[in-house]
Amino acid sequence: MLGIILLGPPGAGKGTQAKKISGEFAIPQISTGDMLREAVKNGTEMGKKAKAFMDQGGLVPDEVVIGIVKDRLQAPDCGKGFILDGFPRTIPQAQALDRVTSDLKKEIRVVLSLEVDETELMERLCGRRTCTGCGAMYHVKFNPPKAQGKCDKCGIALIQRDDDKEETIKTRLINYKKMTEPLLQYYKGTGKIRSVMATGDIGAIYANIANILR
Ligand code: ADP
Ligand code: ADP
Ligand code: ZN
């Protein structure tokens, strides 16, 4: 059971690295951010509840995200493992995850802590672009698509996320420090945490991660 948690501030590269791990190790990426954005797009009850928090750069209430993850972990494709990208983000979420994994007889093998300087995070998030078709991640400067504004894989238009605006990013970074950073301490006690320097070449960072996982 290869259960992985990707920890790190907004812009650390969790989504970028999760997609690579998912491809090579054949385990699903579970991104609470993606699932919440999907719910908002579809106008579900949960989406309506979540939208206001997301637009302001706040965190969606614990019980909502815990519910999503609990359901998702029971899907058949999580049988061999899974990559949690953006969850847990608070201590109560981490505690709930401990209960859920134990109930479902699943196991978190490793917690990868992606480390990036705060000044770089802002630049990364301001230039982030996402494919509306396949979810691939780009950056206008650090990881540009071959044709401007279009996905390399499917040719579909790239968009900028509504919450990737300077003011909202600032709030998200403050919330990260306050609510999510304490998780580093929480997981230190388990002996499962590995820190990964997450600046520089995307492929080189992935090579380090793959080494840890093998
Ligand atoms: P990023 O990694 O750029 O911060 P995500 O796509 O992971 O963004 O999350 C986008 C937004 O979705 C967050 O700012 C937050 O409002 C909400 N969200 C995602 N995951 C969680 C979570 N585990 N707990 C609470 N809110 C979440
Ligand atoms: P997260 O999911 O942690 O919020 P992303 O994977 O979405 O982070 O990456 C944020 C932005 O930074 C994207 O535009 C991505 O292309 C870019 N990025 C990811 N890894 C690197 C890296 N090693 N160097 C420079 N930019 C990167
Ligand atoms: Zn695409």
Side-chain angles (χ1 to χ4, degrees):
M1 164 69 45
L2 188 54
I4 302 168
I5 294 174
L6 284 179
L7 256 187
K14 300 182 298 296
T16 302
Q17 297 296 335
K19 287 192 168 57
K20 289 181 170 291
I21 301 169
S22 176
E24 183 178 340
F25 291 87
I27 49 176
Q29 170 191 10
I30 302 181
S31 160
T32 43
D34 286 350
M35 289 190 280
L36 289 166
R37 276 185 292 278
E38 189 64 21
V40 170
K41 199 174 85 189
N42 295 334
T44 66
E45 267 325 297
M46 188 223 294
K48 284 180 199 155
K49 237 196 268 175
K51 187 176 186 315
F53 297 99
M54 297 170 77
D55 284 348
Q56 287 173 22
L59 291 182
V60 173
D62 287 335
E63 63 271 19
V64 176
V65 265
I66 289 166
I68 300 180
V69 172
K70 189 173 177 188
D71 289 348
R72 181 67 186 82
L73 283 175
Q74 296 178 55
D77 65 339
C78 293
K80 283 194 309 183
F82 49 86
I83 307 154
L84 290 170
D85 158 13
F87 182 93
R89 257 176 156 98
T90 64
I91 297 278
Q93 289 179 21
Q95 291 165 334
L97 179 65
D98 286 343
R99 285 194 297 274
V100 168
T101 47
S102 137
D103 288 352
L104 298 176
K105 309 246 177 320
K106 296 193 185 294
E107 187 210 350
I108 301 297
R109 175 96 61 84
V110 62
V111 180
L112 298 170
S113 165
L114 304 187
E115 320 227 340
V116 178
D117 281 351
E118 198 153 333
T119 45
E120 183 162 341
L121 294 175
M122 181 56 85
E123 208 183 349
R124 283 190 185 186
L125 291 168
C126 287
R128 170 160 64 183
R129 299 291 183 272
T130 316
C131 173
T132 48
C134 70
M137 227 87 70
Y138 296 89
H139 189 282
V140 290
K141 194 159 111 195
F142 303 136
N143 185 25
K146 293 194 182 83
Q148 199 191 340
K150 281 199 189 137
C151 180
D152 292 350
K153 292 179 193 121
C154 58
I156 290 176
L158 304 181
I159 56 149
Q160 178 167 30
R161 265 168 50 177
D162 288 339
D163 60 347
D164 280 345
K165 295 188 282 264
E166 194 171 340
E167 274 318 299
T168 320
I169 294 170
K170 277 186 190 152
T171 311
R172 282 157 59 208
L173 292 173
I174 290 169
N175 282 327
Y176 170 78
K177 276 226 167 326
K178 199 161 82 187
M179 314 290 284
T180 310
E181 215 169 50
L183 290 180
L184 292 173
Q185 234 10 74
Y186 182 88
Y187 285 115
K188 268 208 184 108
T190 67
K192 291 180 181 172
I193 199 153
R194 297 295 179 83
S195 78
V196 177
M197 288 321 256
T199 37
D201 182 67
I202 291 173
I205 297 164
Y206 176 68
N208 283 335
I209 290 177
N211 265 335
I212 293 172
L213 298 179
R214 279 194 202 102

